Amino acid sequence: VKMMFNLKKKMMKAMSLKLNGKTQSIIVSVLCLVNLTANSAYSSIAPFYPAEALAKGVPESTFGFIFAGYSISMCVFAPLFSHMLTKYGRKRVIMLGCLCESLAMILFGLFIYIDNPLAYAILSFLCRFVEGFGNGCLNSSTNSIIAFNFEKDVSKLIGIT
């Protein structure tokens, strides 16, 4: 049993990444920037979306459902995020999250070309849904990166990011 414990300890030590202070600072800075932009994208549509959707003929009663697509997506996919982290790795999951968030924001910018109110509402919900999935990937991988690389300062760094 003792030999198994020592072997496991050696494997964990070999797998852990020893980062210097500069690399750690860069990692924290990038994670903060990613979370800042992702959360800014989350709230950026609130000031202008209702007026734009009304101008396209979308009923006001659907706005809450469209805005909730983000949170619904995060709840639906929450069990999947931990599986994705173990199967694909933190780096790939955070990149997938950035890609989903970016695509959703770019597609929102193209909605000026949609004239059908039903298509506008459905595509709005789908974009918010994809954006919620992306942000869930970002949040999960950010927390995982912090927990893996900064064992002593986990709670402080999660609060910062």
Side-chain angles (χ1 to χ4, degrees):
V1 173
K2 186 176 181 184
M3 191 171 99
M4 293 282 285
F5 179 74
N6 286 336
L7 181 63
K8 184 178 178 184
K9 195 174 179 181
K10 285 180 184 178
M11 286 177 58
M12 292 300 285
K13 192 173 187 179
M15 288 173 44
S16 69
L17 197 56
K18 296 295 181 191
L19 303 172
N20 61 28
K22 186 176 181 178
T23 305
Q24 288 180 332
S25 298
I26 291 170
I27 289 172
V28 170
S29 298
V30 168
L31 292 177
C32 286
L33 184 63
V34 165
N35 280 314
L36 174 70
T37 55
N39 290 321
S40 296
Y42 162 72
S43 60
S44 68
I45 71 163
F48 69 85
Y49 180 79
E52 291 292 322
L54 280 174
K56 295 287 186 174
V58 177
E60 237 179 299
S61 59
T62 62
F63 294 171
F65 185 68
I66 291 167
F67 278 99
Y70 186 92
S71 300
I72 291 169
S73 175
M74 289 183 82
C75 289
V76 167
F77 290 112
L80 180 66
F81 296 138
S82 63
H83 175 71
M84 288 172 58
L85 286 168
T86 55
K87 186 171 182 176
Y88 303 114
R90 294 175 285 276
K91 183 179 176 182
R92 286 188 177 149
V93 173
I94 201 168
M95 288 171 37
L96 175 64
C98 289
L99 179 68
C100 288
E101 289 258 359
S102 301
L103 286 175
M105 288 293 102
I106 290 168
L107 290 176
F108 259 117
L110 297 175
F111 280 11
I112 58 173
Y113 302 110
I114 300 173
D115 292 325
N116 183 336
L118 181 61
Y120 194 90
I122 290 171
L123 290 173
S124 295
F125 176 79
L126 289 175
C127 274
R128 290 294 286 180
F129 197 81
V130 169
E131 188 181 358
F133 174 79
N135 198 276
C137 289
L138 289 174
N139 288 338
S140 299
S141 55
T142 297
N143 291 342
S144 179
I145 290 168
I146 289 171
F148 185 77
N149 291 312
F150 305 95
E151 294 172 1
K152 295 177 184 169
D153 297 321
V154 172
S155 57
K156 179 175 78 173
L157 291 174
I158 286 177
I160 289 172
T161 60

